Amino acid sequence: MMSLAVVPVVVWVGLFLYLVALDRRVARAQSHVRREDDL
Amino acid sequence: MTDGRRPSVASQALAVFAKDLTAEWRTRTTITAVLLFSVTSLAVVGFAAGAAAMSAEVKAAMLWIVLFFAAFSGLANVWLHEEERGTTLLLRLHACPEAVYLGKLLVNLLTLAAVTSVVAPIYVAMADVRIASPGWFVSVLGAAGFSLAAAATVVGAMIARANARSALYGAVGFPVLLPLLMVAAHGTALCLDPAAPVTALHGTVAGITAFGVGVVAASWLVFPYIWEDM
Amino acid sequence: MAECSPPDVRVVLANTGRAFGRRWAFRGVTAQVRSGGVLAITGPNGSGKSTLLRVISGLLLPTTGTVDVVFGGVHCDAASRRALIGYAAPEAALYGELSGVENLKFFARLRGHRLCREDLAAALSQVGLLGRGRDRVADYSSGMRHRLKLAAAAICQPALLLLDEPGSNLDAEGLECARGLVERQRTRGITVLATNDPREAAWADEIVRLGGD
Amino acid sequence: MTSGEAMRGPTGGRTFPVLLQAAVGALMLAGIVAAFAAEPVRNAAGLPAFTMGGHGAKIVFFHVPCAWLAVLAYLVGAIEAVRYLSTCRRAGRRAQAHDERCAAAMEVGLVFGVLATITGSVFSHNEWGMYWSWDPRQTSIVVVLLLFAAYLVLRGAIEDPMMRARISAAYTLVAVVPAMFMIWVLPRLPQIVTLHGGANQAVVGGGLGPGYRLVMYGLLLPAFVGLFAWLIDLRMRVATVEAGNEDEVVLGGMRVGEVSR
């Protein structure tokens, strides 16, 4: 019965890693955004 | 001399209402478009579904579907014509937003009332609808029609400012009115059923009116942000 | 109406600027015009003349700087300022389905004035449209439509008359009507007109040039 | 919601606090395992909580948080819309931040709305044998879902950023009337029979048992709320990156540019 839990666990771990990678990619994109002047 | 005092919202709203009626009476574009649309969709309903064979609930729902689509086929014209012809600049300058909203709402209420007074009798005759309590039937039509016109007016004002204008009208307007469609169809079905308790009828009409008043209140507060350029 | 001295109205622009997103329509405009004065705004196309008129009228908020309209010693904010304003511009259309008279009545009624026959006749004759008032504006020529806009702007003796390209589509006689309108406005308050036609700019006492940089 | 300048990540830009990221990951993991640990789900009186029960019923642990988050997303969107409208007359970027947060909340709300609908129909199939039971709870989530979608369609149709922000904020606030009607009023109307019951009538004999309550409220709910905040923060930062420079950030092969423009 615990074996049923494997599927959602794998799905969650995959999604979690994707989110972490996404977070880093956006952070990198943020670091070289032109700071335009405040209107 | 202009003394800098603005006339009241009501008088400006009536001025906008009178102007729109005169312009509509001259060209009659919106009213004919909406009437033609609703009568044709009535015919579609009649041919497609064999209206007489439908149960009371389906007949009630069908009436409201026809009225909903009729409203969303033409009630945005009060805004679209102004935006397209560029007459909004002077209107924005001289009339306060609340007056413009009220004036346009009155025009749409009148248009929808006219359409309903044509569509409903035809539908009742065509679909062999036996109304158990006609008084409540008319009050459900009136209350739901008020709410329908109120929502159609404010959503029309929004999409008039968007680019792909009329294509959006139904897509953006319908979700706002889904609860109304459900309760109005339920209320109309109750009117057809002789055994319907008066409390239930009273409850649905009250619910419908509350929904309409809620939409008008939200629109009143929000409309200046739709209408004004900042 | 007795021609009393013009009301005390003043428009003060202090370093006014307006941007749409990151594009500046105009920037750093400083000017002042007093009652009885006429200010002209000139500059090439796209220098923001019409936008500046809209900012003065309160339809648009300035992004930087301020626009002060003082009427009878009272500072009017964007909303309260509108009752004092008459506005005519190419992009400000009138209602085609209504007749000339109905348009004038509608805009007057919005400002709380009931126009009698004399007012209407006077307004129409000032712009040379007497006798055409009952026709629908959709049947007017572009020059007649522009003349009606000038009449609609001046109909309720506004303290602040804003004219965007007052002479557009007008023939010699129409131009003369527009000039007469601006002269008459000197006894009622202020005129601010945006143009790049030197003949119209000559009507003004002071000229602000935009888009110079 | 995360404060403005959180800890600077190693890559220079601002990231969602790493601590919170780890917490979301761990809590969700624990919640999944705990949800599948005991069998079957018991209610407060210790009796089996669901008539059909079985592992299919475990979806409720994920359906209920998603539904709550869809509602929470709409509330956040409405609050941000009000804050945008109250600050949009003043120039400057502060108002734009509210608009971006409202758009982010509505987009993430759409995601959770879709998830809630899917998990809801799975639960409905498992419990009552049909995928769509026209139960007021289900229709209310669908209406909120359609409102999210309509908001995004309307937002996509207006180019001018100032106008787009104002019109979408206005739509959010007008749509509060149907949204609140469907979420709070309709399910509680006495004359509308509901299979789903109130908040938890579906569970026979009242609320979940203490053990399962811990799993639902202790593990899964914080995990989902954390995920919600993280997604909104990510979406906000993507919006500011786009506003900053024209080259869109390509996320997992999906050009984000279209989504918010």
Side-chain angles (χ1 to χ4, degrees):
Chain A
M1 168 262 304
M2 274 304 286
S3 61
L4 258 181
V6 166
V7 171
V9 164
V10 166
V11 166
W12 168 247
V13 168
L15 178 63
F16 179 71
L17 294 178
Y18 171 74
L19 275 178
V20 170
L22 195 60
D23 196 298
R24 279 195 203 302
R25 182 186 305 205
V26 171
R28 208 174 312 116
Q30 265 179 305
S31 57
H32 53 72
V33 158
R34 296 194 315 274
R35 274 284 141 246
E36 95 270 20
D37 56 321
D38 194 349
L39 287 181
Chain B
M1 234 18 119
T2 319
D3 44 25
R5 216 176 10 71
R6 288 276 287 271
S8 71
V9 173
S11 64
Q12 282 193 335
L14 284 178
V16 171
F17 177 57
K19 183 267 296 179
D20 263 67
L21 278 194
T22 326
E24 179 60 25
W25 181 249
R26 290 265 162 78
T27 56
R28 282 192 288 281
T29 48
T30 307
I31 191 72
T32 40
V34 174
L35 266 180
L36 187 59
F37 181 90
S38 36
V39 172
T40 35
S41 42
L42 268 182
V44 165
V45 161
F47 296 153
M54 293 188 289
S55 73
E57 284 74 21
V58 174
K59 280 182 185 171
M62 206 56 79
L63 171 64
W64 282 107
I65 287 170
V66 167
L67 284 174
F68 262 59
F69 277 100
F72 278 98
S73 71
L75 291 191
N77 289 352
V78 281
W79 305 110
L80 295 176
H81 289 166
E82 298 253 7
E83 289 284 343
E84 273 143 22
R85 293 194 178 81
T87 53
T88 53
L89 194 139
L90 288 177
L91 197 55
R92 277 196 188 96
L93 187 62
H94 293 308
C96 64
E98 288 76 10
V100 173
Y101 173 70
L102 205 53
K104 300 290 184 183
L105 178 60
L106 291 175
V107 175
N108 277 343
L109 282 174
L110 195 66
T111 311
L112 195 63
V115 168
T116 311
S117 58
V118 167
V119 165
I122 296 179
Y123 184 76
V124 166
M126 184 189 79
D128 179 24
V129 173
R130 279 181 203 73
I131 304 175
S133 36
W136 285 107
F137 183 78
V138 170
S139 52
V140 167
L141 272 180
F146 162 72
S147 311
L148 174 55
T153 305
V154 69
V155 171
M158 290 181 202
I159 61 132
R161 306 303 297 265
N163 306 84
R165 292 195 175 126
S166 38
L168 279 179
Y169 197 29
V172 173
F174 254 73
V176 174
L177 285 164
L178 274 181
L180 177 75
L181 180 63
M182 287 168 52
V183 182
H186 178 64
T188 310
L190 284 179
C191 296
L192 310 186
D193 158 21
V198 177
T199 51
L201 282 165
H202 179 71
T204 37
V205 171
I208 293 169
T209 318
F211 187 88
V213 167
V215 167
V216 170
S219 315
W220 185 275
L221 293 173
V222 146
F223 183 74
Y225 294 98
I226 301 171
W227 177 248
E228 307 245 313
D229 290 324
M230 271 167 220
Chain C
M1 243 144 6
E3 283 305 333
C4 55
S5 70
D8 162 29
V9 59
R10 203 172 61 249
V11 172
V12 179
L13 304 176
N15 189 19
T16 316
R18 167 74 197 202
F20 294 99
R22 272 196 289 277
R23 187 182 57 81
W24 283 90
F26 61 87
R27 209 183 332 208
V29 173
T30 304
Q32 175 166 0
V33 52
R34 291 194 166 287
S35 201
V38 177
L39 172 71
I41 304 167
T42 61
N45 297 103
S47 55
K49 301 193 292 296
S50 304
T51 314
L52 178 54
L53 271 190
R54 283 219 204 145
V55 169
I56 295 174
S57 73
L59 282 173
L60 286 178
L61 299 174
T63 316
T64 58
T66 60
V67 174
D68 280 337
V69 174
V70 181
F71 177 76
V74 173
H75 169 74
C76 309
D77 66 4
S80 58
R81 179 184 319 166
R82 294 181 186 174
L84 313 171
I85 288 173
Y87 195 98
E91 72 270 15
L94 296 175
Y95 293 99
E97 302 93 356
L98 306 183
S99 71
V101 164
E102 281 162 346
N103 269 288
L104 294 178
K105 275 195 200 158
F106 172 64
F107 286 111
R109 190 170 164 202
L110 277 186
R111 302 161 71 145
H113 292 255
R114 285 257 181 250
L115 291 180
C116 59
R117 281 185 59 81
E118 291 72 27
D119 296 333
L120 286 167
L124 289 174
S125 60
Q126 275 170 11
V127 287
L129 284 177
L130 205 55
R132 297 301 300 273
R134 291 297 173 199
D135 306 344
R136 281 167 51 158
V137 168
D139 309 333
Y140 280 19
S141 74
S142 62
M144 291 166 66
R145 223 173 271 134
H146 191 73
R147 290 184 188 209
L148 189 69
K149 287 182 195 174
L150 294 176
I155 191 75
C156 299
Q157 288 81 36
L160 179 52
L161 188 63
L162 304 176
L163 304 174
D164 195 351
E165 292 171 21
S168 69
N169 310 103
L170 290 186
D171 52 21
E173 190 230 341
L175 211 58
E176 193 44 40
C177 294
R179 201 184 61 75
L181 203 74
V182 171
E183 288 313 315
R184 259 193 310 285
Q185 178 63 14
R186 286 183 186 276
T187 64
R188 293 201 197 107
I190 288 174
T191 308
V192 179
L193 52 94
T195 180
N196 37 32
D197 174 343
R199 284 175 304 168
E200 293 160 21
W203 302 343
D205 324 328
E206 198 191 334
I207 293 180
V208 168
R209 220 166 295 283
L210 288 188
D213 47 357
Chain D
M1 222 55 62
T2 58
S3 65
E5 283 311 316
M7 185 178 59
R8 286 236 167 250
T11 54
R14 189 177 63 74
T15 66
F16 190 71
V18 178
L19 203 65
L20 283 177
Q21 291 181 15
V24 166
L27 276 173
M28 190 69 89
L29 206 58
I32 294 173
V33 170
F36 281 87
E39 163 45 50
V41 181
R42 297 203 174 285
N43 64 17
L47 300 172
F50 300 114
T51 47
M52 297 298 288
H55 283 299
K58 299 290 173 64
I59 194 96
V60 75
F61 286 115
F62 304 97
H63 168 60
V64 172
C66 283
W68 281 341
L69 284 185
V71 172
L72 174 69
Y74 197 89
L75 289 183
V76 167
I79 291 165
E80 289 304 332
V82 170
R83 291 173 73 183
Y84 172 78
L85 290 183
S86 58
T87 56
C88 69
R89 287 185 194 275
R90 284 188 293 279
R93 288 188 57 80
R94 215 161 59 76
Q96 194 182 348
H98 291 308
D99 171 55
E100 280 164 8
R101 201 170 290 135
C102 176
M106 300 297 257
E107 278 175 37
V108 173
L110 180 69
V111 169
F112 281 108
V114 168
L115 285 178
T117 311
I118 294 170
T119 48
S121 57
V122 166
F123 179 80
S124 156
H125 174 72
N126 179 65
E127 197 60 26
W128 304 307
M130 44 195 173
Y131 275 106
W132 194 258
S133 58
W134 285 110
D135 165 83
R137 272 294 176 200
Q138 279 183 325
T139 41
S140 67
I141 286 295
V142 164
V143 170
V144 174
L145 192 59
L146 288 174
L147 290 175
F148 285 133
Y151 170 91
L152 293 170
V153 163
L154 181 60
R155 195 180 171 83
I158 306 172
E159 259 105 35
D160 165 26
M162 292 274 287
M163 174 91 75
R164 176 179 64 202
R166 278 206 323 275
I167 301 289
S168 32
Y171 183 77
T172 313
L173 294 178
V174 170
V176 158
V177 176
M180 290 313 126
F181 184 89
M182 291 304 284
I183 293 169
W184 273 295
V185 172
L186 199 72
R188 285 166 175 68
L189 287 183
Q191 71 267 28
I192 294 199
V193 173
T194 161
L195 290 165
H196 208 129
N200 46 28
Q201 262 76 12
V203 176
V204 174
L208 290 170
Y212 302 94
R213 191 179 285 277
L214 171 68
V215 169
M216 173 77 89
Y217 298 110
L219 295 175
L220 284 173
L221 190 56
F224 268 99
V225 171
L227 183 62
F228 177 73
W230 189 359
L231 289 176
I232 285 201
D233 179 72
L234 261 174
R235 188 65 194 86
M236 285 272 300
R237 282 160 41 213
V238 163
T240 41
V241 163
E242 267 156 33
N245 46 24
E246 291 317 315
D247 45 3
E248 286 82 15
V249 174
V250 180
L251 288 176
M254 181 185 77
R255 265 171 48 83
V256 175
E258 284 84 15
V259 171
S260 84
R261 205 167 316 278

